[in-house]
Amino acid sequence: MGEFTKAVTDASFEADVLKSSKPVLVDFWAEWCGPCKMVAPVLEELAKEMGDQLTIAKVNVEESPDAPTKFGVRGIPTMILFKDGVPVATKVGALPKDKLKTWIESAI
């Protein structure tokens, strides 16, 4: 994974996301997804800039199919912001950095 984002699997999802003491933005992605690759460096930058406010985690839907199924992920990239173990906001598709940051700030 990236230097500032955290790789999360089905096995670690509960501990890393649902039981996190701070908000967690989960990016559901796959290797073959072009838009996922476009948004990855943006998420790295945001993870670096906003690391004290939230964790940005990445779940590969091919390797960990349970979490995306549980939270109704149909298309990727899908980003779900979890706060206190519950999803509070969802965005589907790649967004420019400024829009993504504004969305995160409004949700946390």
Side-chain angles (χ1 to χ4, degrees):
M1 230 13 54
E3 189 180 346
F4 298 99
T5 54
K6 178 177 189 142
V8 174
T9 63
D10 281 339
S12 69
F13 196 88
E14 185 175 354
D16 288 342
V17 178
L18 303 181
K19 294 189 172 168
S20 173
S21 58
K22 60 184 177 181
V24 183
L25 177 68
V26 181
D27 172 34
F28 293 94
W29 69 286
E31 289 287 345
W32 47 262
C33 165
C36 298
K37 290 183 176 162
M38 286 167 34
V39 82
V42 172
L43 291 172
E44 274 301 315
E45 288 175 35
L46 289 172
K48 183 178 179 182
E49 291 169 21
M50 304 177 77
D52 55 336
Q53 299 170 331
L54 83 159
T55 299
I56 297 183
K58 297 174 73 73
V59 173
N60 183 324
V61 299
E62 299 280 304
E63 295 169 3
S64 296
D66 296 347
T69 302
K70 182 176 179 185
F71 294 102
V73 173
R74 286 177 179 75
I76 52 172
T78 292
M79 286 160 268
I80 302 178
L81 187 68
F82 289 83
K83 215 168 164 181
D84 300 318
V86 293
V88 293
T90 303
K91 276 274 184 234
V92 180
L95 291 171
K97 183 179 174 186
D98 57 337
K99 286 193 168 49
L100 201 51
K101 187 171 185 176
T102 303
W103 173 69
I104 292 168
E105 288 171 341
S106 71
I108 59 173

